[in-house]
Amino acid sequence: MCGIVAYVGDRTAYPILIKGLQRLEYRGYDSAGIALFNSGIHVYKCKGKVKDLQALARDEDVGGSVGMGHTRWATHGEPSDANAHPHRSMHGTFHVVHNGIIENYVHLKKELMNRGYVFYTDTDTEVLANLIEDVYREQEVDAELATRLALTRVVGAYGLVILCEEEPGRLIAARKGSPLVIGIGEHEYFLASDAMPIIEYTDRVVYMNDEEVAVITSESLDLKDLYNDVKTPDIKTIQLHIDSIDKGNYAHFMLKEIHEQAHSVTDTFRGRIAMDESKIFLGGILDVMPRLIEARRIIIVACGTSWHAALVGEYLFEEYARLPVEVEYASEFRYRNPIVDKDDLVIAISQSGETADTLAAIRLVKESGATILGICNVAGSSISRETDAGVYTHAGIEIGVASTKAFTSQITVLAMMAFLLGNKRQALSVEEYRVLIRELTRVPALIAEILAGEEKIREIAALYKEVTNALFLGRGILFPVALEGALKLKEISYIHAEGYPAAEMKHGPIALIDETMPVFVLATSDKLYEKVVSNIQEVKTRKGKVIAVATRGNTDIYKLADHVIEIPPCHEALSPLLAILPWQLLAYHVAVMRGCNVDQPRNLAKSVTVE
Ligand code: AGP
């Protein structure tokens, strides 16, 4: 997903833009560029990282107090200097940075070429720049109106910032489907794809809505929709703090975020559990609680790690709230013709709150009458604003592309929702409800214990860092944790890894087992332990290597597995919160030993806001 940052105000724009692009680096990208108003518009852009852009602009006059920057994650056109943003219109009147996809750009490009426009890149963004210029020149209107008229012809998603050479001192921004946040300072304004580049300058922001266009100068912000209706900016105060976006003493954001989980899980339930641990409060869903109690079915839509959390949620809601659950990949759900009605509860889980497929999935069911909830980590994100209600995970900013603390916070929210609904639907006795709440409050201390055992996990990582394949097995509520462990390893170390229900071994994967195949097994002391032992034996008889996560005190497992990672006992409902930690650390250390870019794995972005 691309990153956008822009500035207009009393200060020199260049350093603010560069630092802003660096703040967006975690989103993943393959090229970067900036445009500065400095007696005319000057553009510096290149394939590569922000440091390459700085080298390109090093000896240039990078003055000017208005400008915009962009980091590109290629969707149209391969990564190259020419395809990097900003893009210029043919006559140089407009420069544009864009996040999103213009679906009808081929048709628009043909039309513009027939009107004499020449193109120099493969991107859909250049088409946008020329479309705006064509309207501006032909209809002799100002840049803002030209932008609005041009955008009414566009099909697709965009987050846009535009500079017009003939209207110095102003930024034009437009949003549809790709997020844009406006930061309000003193005699200065900021624009960015998310709040990260803004929070060190101001805590006052406006989250743009779809089909809104903003005209911004150092002293003013004017907001309209595409059809010229004036909109009142909804100014929010954000709670983020600058020190949460640096690595501190950690080598990578991912390691920092793994080690934050005792605190982040605490933050997730802080203020949501009664002092006497007798009940759970989730203020964000209070208004819709009657509809949740009466719900006939829960449908959870998500992607990636959030989809794994959804699978854990399925076990929790069915076991403790006695509600049937369907878990759907958002990308599949949005293109089916699903049967959803007013008795359904649809839950969207998304760390970023901006994943295009998940956003599309909830938009698909809006007309169904179902109650739609969001479980998001970013306040003010699109999904959190487009659902009827929801619960923020409060995990704090997650910068590492590989999601870790967001996953455990998502499960914490799902557990609280399942226990609360179980109580409200009389599926749980008062005593059972109390026990579950008390067990949840014990989890942060148990997380800290496991993370303190990092060195042993690093030693195991060293033994398996060169393998080419790996298998992760789990059963019951830990099956989704096996999937998540496999995803962590594959996405940051590039080792092919698969997660499977342990019992599925006999239906195919066992053919893969030999002495080169490490099998990572979740063998905690729960009701399925003996079944898992049988699966471990099946692996061992085929010379596979077994690395087991087991409950402290289980001595038998040492006779079975090649390596054992112990975790403290906890209530089965909460075991995913503990069992995932060894696999997060394993993936991290394997990736580091393989020299991979842990925080920005190749080909990946932190949030996939394009489909
Ligand atoms: C997880 O480590 C990945 N970064 C990815 O699978 C991610 O979980 C997925 O893209 C969903 O993102 P979201 O939670 O922001 O919607």
Side-chain angles (χ1 to χ4, degrees):
M1 181 182 71
C2 305
I4 288 174
V5 63
Y7 176 79
V8 54
D10 295 346
R11 290 188 264 187
T12 302
Y14 178 76
I16 294 171
L17 297 178
I18 290 295
K19 186 185 271 192
L21 293 180
Q22 288 166 337
R23 294 273 185 238
L24 291 175
E25 276 188 318
Y26 72 96
R27 296 160 73 98
Y29 64 96
D30 42 50
S31 50
I34 56 170
L36 294 167
F37 236 114
N38 185 15
S39 57
I41 296 177
H42 301 270
V43 173
Y44 309 96
K45 64 180 189 175
C46 63
K47 180 180 175 184
K49 299 294 185 188
V50 174
K51 63 183 183 346
D52 302 308
L53 173 63
Q54 287 177 281
L56 178 70
R58 191 182 315 285
D59 303 325
E60 302 290 340
D61 170 10
V62 285
S65 61
V66 184
M68 59 188 184
H70 184 273
T71 52
R72 179 171 183 254
W73 183 63
T75 49
H76 286 89
E78 62 166 19
S80 67
D81 294 354
N83 286 338
H85 298 213
H87 284 287
R88 175 182 183 274
S89 59
M90 187 173 77
H91 298 96
T93 313
F94 289 90
H95 286 77
V96 175
V97 292
H98 169 224
N99 179 16
I101 289 182
I102 306 305
E103 295 176 12
N104 61 334
Y105 85 100
V106 173
H107 165 74
L108 294 170
K109 186 169 185 174
K110 281 198 186 101
E111 185 185 300
L112 287 162
M113 289 171 81
N114 292 339
R115 297 168 58 80
Y117 277 83
V118 176
F119 288 84
Y120 302 94
T121 79
D122 313 323
T123 66
D124 53 347
T125 308
E126 189 186 12
V127 174
L128 216 41
N130 283 326
L131 183 65
I132 296 168
E133 181 178 270
D134 188 47
V135 172
Y136 180 80
R137 292 165 61 91
E138 291 303 309
Q139 300 190 34
E140 297 181 342
V141 293
D142 70 14
E144 186 267 345
L145 179 50
T147 299
R148 283 195 287 111
L149 293 173
L151 290 177
T152 55
R153 299 203 48 214
V154 160
V155 176
Y158 52 79
L160 281 181
V161 181
I162 298 154
L163 291 180
C164 175
E165 182 131 70
E166 294 167 10
E167 297 184 11
R170 63 173 46 186
L171 297 171
I172 297 172
R175 180 237 149 113
K176 182 181 180 186
S178 288
L180 274 180
V181 184
I182 300 167
I184 303 171
E186 295 299 319
H187 312 299
E188 59 184 5
Y189 283 83
F190 307 83
L191 255 167
S193 309
D194 63 37
M196 300 266 278
I198 293 173
I199 56 176
E200 63 186 282
Y201 305 107
T202 179
D203 62 359
R204 299 173 65 230
V205 296
V206 173
Y207 295 99
M208 289 184 72
N209 294 307
D210 277 356
E211 297 199 338
E212 283 185 346
V213 176
V215 178
I216 305 170
T217 68
S218 59
E219 300 300 333
S220 65
L221 161 60
D222 295 309
L223 211 50
K224 288 182 178 177
D225 67 14
L226 282 187
Y227 311 100
N228 204 27
D229 296 329
V230 175
K231 310 290 250 176
T232 305
D234 179 8
I235 300 174
K236 306 270 189 194
T237 302
I238 43 176
Q239 310 298 330
L240 299 174
H241 193 272
I242 185 67
D243 66 13
S244 61
I245 56 173
D246 66 44
K247 289 187 282 226
N249 299 325
Y250 292 97
H252 299 95
F253 281 109
M254 182 181 176
L255 187 60
K256 177 187 175 201
E257 287 151 9
I258 289 172
H259 282 280
E260 281 177 341
Q261 290 178 101
H263 295 295
S264 52
V265 165
T266 304
D267 289 342
T268 303
F269 63 65
R270 187 192 311 280
R272 292 169 162 166
I273 292 178
M275 290 308 288
D276 64 359
E277 298 184 347
S278 63
K279 57 174 79 73
I280 289 166
F281 309 103
L282 294 174
I285 57 174
L286 207 51
D287 295 347
V288 296
M289 187 52 72
R291 288 155 65 185
L292 305 193
I293 294 168
E294 296 307 318
R296 182 179 53 92
R297 174 182 60 159
I298 296 177
I299 299 168
I300 313 179
V301 293
C303 301
T305 287
S306 298
W307 185 78
H308 297 153
L311 288 175
V312 174
E314 179 174 20
Y315 285 88
L316 292 169
F317 282 116
E318 293 198 345
E319 177 70 26
Y320 299 102
R322 303 306 296 153
L323 260 170
V325 179
E326 284 171 31
V327 175
E328 300 275 359
Y329 277 118
S331 54
E332 288 299 308
F333 186 78
R334 66 179 290 192
Y335 288 113
R336 281 213 328 262
N337 185 16
I339 299 166
V340 182
D341 68 27
K342 62 178 177 45
D343 297 328
D344 289 327
L345 166 58
V346 176
I347 301 175
I349 303 177
S350 175
Q351 187 287 129
S352 63
E354 300 298 347
T355 298
D357 286 324
T358 310
L359 188 55
I362 60 172
R363 286 174 175 170
L364 175 74
V365 295
K366 275 215 165 123
E367 306 311 316
S368 69
T371 304
I372 306 174
L373 302 185
I375 298 178
C376 298
N377 194 40
V378 178
S381 56
S382 301
I383 292 171
S384 68
R385 290 187 293 128
E386 294 204 19
T387 44
D388 299 322
V391 181
Y392 282 123
T393 45
H394 294 166
I397 295 176
E398 184 176 73
I399 294 173
V401 165
S403 191
T404 51
K405 65 175 183 174
F407 177 68
T408 46
S409 286
Q410 287 165 349
I411 291 172
T412 302
V413 166
L414 288 163
M416 288 194 287
M417 287 175 79
F419 301 162
L420 174 59
L421 268 181
N423 170 260
K424 296 284 187 189
R425 291 165 52 90
Q426 277 86 43
L428 281 177
S429 70
V430 171
E431 186 47 30
E432 286 166 333
Y433 187 34
R434 271 181 178 278
V435 166
L436 287 164
I437 294 173
R438 187 179 64 240
E439 289 297 318
L440 177 58
T441 60
R442 289 180 57 232
V443 163
L446 304 180
I447 289 176
E449 264 185 64
I450 295 167
L451 296 177
E454 177 176 2
E455 181 51 27
K456 176 167 186 182
I457 297 165
R458 198 189 63 75
E459 289 164 5
I460 293 173
L463 299 173
Y464 295 99
K465 66 182 186 300
E466 300 305 336
V467 299
T468 51
N469 293 290
L471 208 51
F472 286 75
L473 303 179
R475 275 180 178 260
I477 198 169
L478 294 181
F479 158 50
V481 179
L483 296 176
E484 175 59 12
L487 176 61
K488 289 285 95 50
L489 186 64
K490 77 178 98 173
E491 70 174 324
I492 63 173
S493 73
Y494 317 143
I495 292 173
H496 175 246
E498 281 189 82
Y500 258 92
E504 271 299 296
M505 283 281 295
K506 299 179 290 298
H507 304 283
I510 202 159
L512 294 171
I513 304 298
D514 61 23
E515 62 280 4
T516 68
M517 169 73 87
V519 181
F520 298 93
V521 186
L522 295 165
T524 51
S525 304
D526 55 27
K527 58 180 182 265
L528 294 168
Y529 174 71
E530 290 310 326
K531 303 290 183 191
V532 174
V533 166
S534 311
N535 301 135
I536 291 175
Q537 285 161 340
E538 288 158 14
V539 172
K540 291 307 296 172
T541 51
R542 289 156 181 87
K543 300 188 177 31
K545 292 281 185 281
V546 171
I547 302 91
V549 169
T551 305
R552 188 175 54 226
N554 172 357
T555 52
D556 294 343
I557 192 73
Y558 285 89
K559 302 170 194 138
L560 287 166
D562 298 273
H563 308 280
V564 177
I565 300 165
E566 291 188 353
I567 63 172
C570 78
H571 193 287
E572 187 173 349
L574 305 166
S575 57
L577 292 170
L578 304 187
I580 187 54
L581 302 173
W583 295 160
Q584 292 174 344
L585 287 170
L586 176 92
Y588 170 79
H589 285 295
V590 168
V592 168
M593 292 170 189
R594 292 169 65 94
C596 297
N597 185 337
V598 172
D599 284 332
Q600 297 166 32
R602 68 186 182 196
N603 309 338
L604 286 176
K606 181 57 184 172
S607 168
V608 184
T609 61
V610 294
E611 57 173 303

